[in-house]
Amino acid sequence: MTTYAAGPAPATTAPASPAPFTPTTSTLRGSEKVTFARLVRSEWIKLISLRSTWWTLGLTILGMVGMSALMAVSMAAFAEDIPAGELDGMGAQVVTFGFFLGQITVAVLGGLVVTGEYTTGMIRSTFTAAPNRITALTAKALVVTAVVFVVGIVGGLVSWLLSTPILPDGVAASFSDPVAWRALAGLGAFLALVALMAFALGVIVRSSAGAIASVLGVLLMLPLAFNILTMMGQEWASTVMRFLPSEAGAQLMSTSVEAAESMVGYSVLTWWQGGLVLIGYVAVLSVVGGILVRSRDA
């Protein structure tokens, strides 16, 4: 019987471990650095991709135009009973009259833009992509401000065009009147600042219900409470009330201090003083929100 000697076992070659990846210029060329411009673009895409954004903006314009149209119809119906001269300059007030409803809807939008991400947890992804939280929130606030300002101007222009044929002759705001255009710009600025105030409150409380309730309480309930105190003879209340965010901000749309004082019965701020007061409120809340967002976990 022939026997065969066993040969050496075949050698097995272990798979070579991959060489460590060393980035080169060619591999880094395709990567995109997170810049402020790209953050703004990202926030813009996030804002317009939400169906609730379009509903809110649509309701804002519809409410503003509807309020202005109602005021124009009322003034046209009772124009004969109003003494001559009292309707002077009221055309611009008709154009901006819809701010009362517009401030509610833009406050909701401004609050939800930031609190919605806290609710869903998406804010963690945002801060992971942009570790500088202040920069990320600034980009988000810039987008909201620009959108609300443009919507306010559009709502005012539509109200202007719609109210002009309804109002009596000589009452409608003239398109060649720079004061009327300043009131229209004030309308957009007021709504944008209200949205920013709600945004800052959203950063502070991180709750949709809390942010919306806070900003609407400041805009609607505080003036009502001070109005009641004023009617009860508390003179200090009228002095304080003109520095409230809603009362001060409304002067951005005022065409005449004398006309505004005759309507409310107490002294008011000028349009630029009221604007600075409202900006001050937004600035303080933004600083507080910035401090908290850097010291708290997302």
Side-chain angles (χ1 to χ4, degrees):
M1 176 181 294
T2 305
T3 59
Y4 299 93
T12 57
T13 304
S17 58
F21 174 73
T22 303
T24 61
T25 304
S26 59
T27 59
L28 292 176
R29 189 175 299 155
S31 62
E32 292 188 355
K33 182 181 178 181
V34 178
T35 62
F36 185 74
R38 290 194 174 103
L39 285 175
V40 171
R41 181 185 178 188
S42 173
E43 295 301 333
W44 164 256
I45 294 174
K46 286 194 288 186
L47 183 65
I48 65 174
S49 62
L50 295 175
R51 187 179 302 174
S52 58
T53 299
W54 295 104
W55 276 103
T56 304
L57 297 179
L59 289 175
T60 300
I61 295 177
L62 183 63
M64 292 171 61
V65 174
M67 290 287 288
S68 296
L70 287 175
M71 186 177 183
V73 170
S74 300
M75 291 181 64
F78 296 99
E80 297 180 356
D81 302 328
I82 300 176
E86 289 193 8
L87 292 178
D88 294 344
M90 291 299 295
Q93 298 301 315
V94 173
V95 171
T96 61
F97 186 66
F99 84 92
F100 187 79
L101 280 183
Q103 66 179 346
I104 298 175
T105 51
V106 299
V108 172
L109 177 64
L112 290 179
V113 163
V114 62
T115 58
E117 291 200 19
Y118 275 106
T119 301
T120 60
M122 188 183 292
I123 196 68
R124 298 187 185 92
S125 301
T126 300
F127 289 157
T128 300
N132 190 330
R133 299 182 177 187
I134 302 300
T135 303
L137 291 178
T138 301
K140 192 185 294 291
L142 181 62
V143 170
V144 173
T145 302
V147 169
V148 172
F149 179 80
V150 171
V151 168
I153 298 297
V154 171
L157 284 174
V158 175
S159 301
W160 198 338
L161 295 173
L162 185 63
S163 63
T164 297
I166 299 175
L167 290 170
D169 294 337
V171 177
S174 173
F175 287 99
S176 61
D177 185 5
V179 177
W181 286 102
R182 196 256 302 157
L184 179 64
L187 172 63
F190 172 76
L191 295 179
L193 289 171
V194 167
L196 276 179
M197 182 185 297
F199 181 90
L201 286 171
V203 174
I204 293 172
V205 302
R206 301 195 294 185
S207 166
S208 300
I212 295 172
S214 299
V215 70
L216 293 184
V218 170
L219 294 175
L220 303 179
M221 301 307 297
L222 273 183
L224 177 61
F226 277 90
N227 266 316
I228 294 175
L229 291 173
T230 301
M231 290 186 293
M232 294 174 61
Q234 302 294 326
E235 296 183 0
W236 63 268
S238 61
T239 303
V240 174
M241 185 163 60
R242 63 178 181 163
F243 292 100
L244 294 179
S246 56
E247 297 295 318
Q251 301 312 310
L252 283 168
M253 298 163 281
S254 175
T255 57
S256 170
V257 174
E258 292 77 11
E261 290 179 346
S262 64
M263 292 179 63
V264 298
Y266 53 85
S267 61
V268 298
L269 303 175
T270 61
W271 68 268
W272 63 269
Q273 289 173 336
L276 288 178
V277 170
L278 184 55
I279 291 174
Y281 280 107
V282 174
V284 170
L285 291 174
S286 299
V287 170
V288 173
I291 294 173
L292 291 177
V293 80
R294 296 183 65 179
S295 60
R296 298 186 302 196
D297 293 334

